[in-house]
């Protein structure tokens, strides 16, 4: 009987200790959910009227902030890293940053999670990140919350509402591309080429789903050829060339990136120009400007590398204790062959690979090409 009572006492003590440890672990449980409106709504616009609002405890600055990128093997990612470094040096931002580190970890989720954990353990205040995958980050989010670290995924965001995120509406990019092609082709049947992005990312998935939602709607009878271009000019050119060699002809093209490579493949194959929706590369916009009279009826939507600047600005605002939307919506910059203007939304004299949309004036984000290109894409650890 005494043994039973002693075991019961030990069990109760163990339960009490566990409860204390659990309570300690949950002493900081992440941001509070509060009522809106949020700070600077012209810049930090809630995604919808259903978007909830977060508020973190105010921390004294300046702050230690890290950019944990994944893949860095294309023009967009290189420009994004350079933009992040340029933004961290701008007046009004520089004063709020004690230390700014950049690391690109490749396409392995475990490597990215490991880098984020390392920055949390080093005492960084915020981490902005392009997620390698849309899920698998729950443990890191809990660790960040426990350590009062603000995590801000942008571009490739996560399938969660537990962190503040910044993005443009990727599905709408796919939808607008589908609508554009149908309108410019003037028909609801034919052969389409879809050049997808980097596999496994939420951006690639959502753009694809939005595009298919439109072109596969009832009443449409399109034959769609799908290839993977990795958002990269060289890869997109190769897979487009291969598709042309196999299928011979397409009536319209939707490409997620490496758009200039897709156009170059058409030129090399002597394929007639067709309506095309592509990304915001300056080279692609130059091609539209040059070849629109020959049939390249192009639309260029912009997933701007300057999203990293808005994500960084949002992280600083959150650390300062401001109320912030959980999901921040950034307008989609769009230009077509009808409204391209040299020196305004593309630069004919700029030969370097460069994404043209880099202005978000309500956020005070306005970069020049020299500011960005002067930076390095290398890790700064």
């Amino acid at each position: 009987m005494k043994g039973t009572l002693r075991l019961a006492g030990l069990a109760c003590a163990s339960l009490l200790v566990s409860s204390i440890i659990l309570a300690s672990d949950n002493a900081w449980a992440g941001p509070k959910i509060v009522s809106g409106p949020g700070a600077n709504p012209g810049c930090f616009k809630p995604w919808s009227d259903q978007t909830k609002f977060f508020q973190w405890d105010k921390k004294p600055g300046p702050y230690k902030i890290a950019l944990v990128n994944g893949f860095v093997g294309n023009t967009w990612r290189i420009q994004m890293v350079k933009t992040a470094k340029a933004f961290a040096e701008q007046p009004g931002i520089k004063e709020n940053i004690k230390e700014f580190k950049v690391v690109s970890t490749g396409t392995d989720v475990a490597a990215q999670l490991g880098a984020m954990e390392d920055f949390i353990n080093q005492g960084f205040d915020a981490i902005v990140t392009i997620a390698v995958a849309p899920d698998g980050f729950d443990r890191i989010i809990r660790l960040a919350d426990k350590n009062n670290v603000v995590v801000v995924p942008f571009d490739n965001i996560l399938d969660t509402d537990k962190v503040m995120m910044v993005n443009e509406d990727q599905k709408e990019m796919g939808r607008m591309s589908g609508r554009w092609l149908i309108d410019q082709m003037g028909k609801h049947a034919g052969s389409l080429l879809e050049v997808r992005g980097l596999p496994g990312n939420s951006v690639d998935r959502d753009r694809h789903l939005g595009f298919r939602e439109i072109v596969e709607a009832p009443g449409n009878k399109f034959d769609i050829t799908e290839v993977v271009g990795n958002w990269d000019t060289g890869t997109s050119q190769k897979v487009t060339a291969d598709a042309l060699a196999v299928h011979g002809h397409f009536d319209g093209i939707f490409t997620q990136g490496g758009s200039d490579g897709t156009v170059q493949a058409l030129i090399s194959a002597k394929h007639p120009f067709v309506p095309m929706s592509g990304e915001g590369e300056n080279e692609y916009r130059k091609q539209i400007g040059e070849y629109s009279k020959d049939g390249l009826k192009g639309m260029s939507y912009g997933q701007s590398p300057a999203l990293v600047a808005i994500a960084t600005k949002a992280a600083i605002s959150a650390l300062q204790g401001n109320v912030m939307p959980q999901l921040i919506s950034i307008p989609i910059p769009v230009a077509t062959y009808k409204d391209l203007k040299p020196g305004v939304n593309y630069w004919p004299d700029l030969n370097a690979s460069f994404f043209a949309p880099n202005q978000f004036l309500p956020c005070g984000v306005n970069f020049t090409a020299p500011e960005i290109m002067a930076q390095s894409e290398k890790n700064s650890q």
Side-chain angles (χ1 to χ4, degrees), residues 27-36 52-58 145 148 150 161-162 164 318 321-326:
W28 177 261
K32 297 183 289 291
I33 298 176
V34 298
S35 299
K52 61 186 178 182
F53 290 85
F54 285 160
Q55 187 173 31
W56 285 260
D57 285 353
K58 183 177 180 178
D145 287 345
N148 195 10
V150 177
D161 63 355
K162 304 299 184 185
M164 178 173 63
N322 292 313
V323 174
M324 302 294 294
Q326 181 269 317

Side-chain angles (χ1 to χ4, degrees), residues 107-110 112-113 116 130-141 153 156-161 163 165 200-203 205:
T107 58
D108 181 55
V109 176
Q112 187 173 50
L113 294 174
M116 294 175 72
I130 297 184
V132 170
D135 50 26
F137 286 72
D138 292 350
R139 185 183 66 81
I140 285 296
I141 293 171
N156 289 329
I157 58 174
L158 302 174
D159 290 339
T160 181
D161 63 355
V163 291
M165 300 189 286
N201 286 274
S202 62
V203 167
R205 175 198 65 194

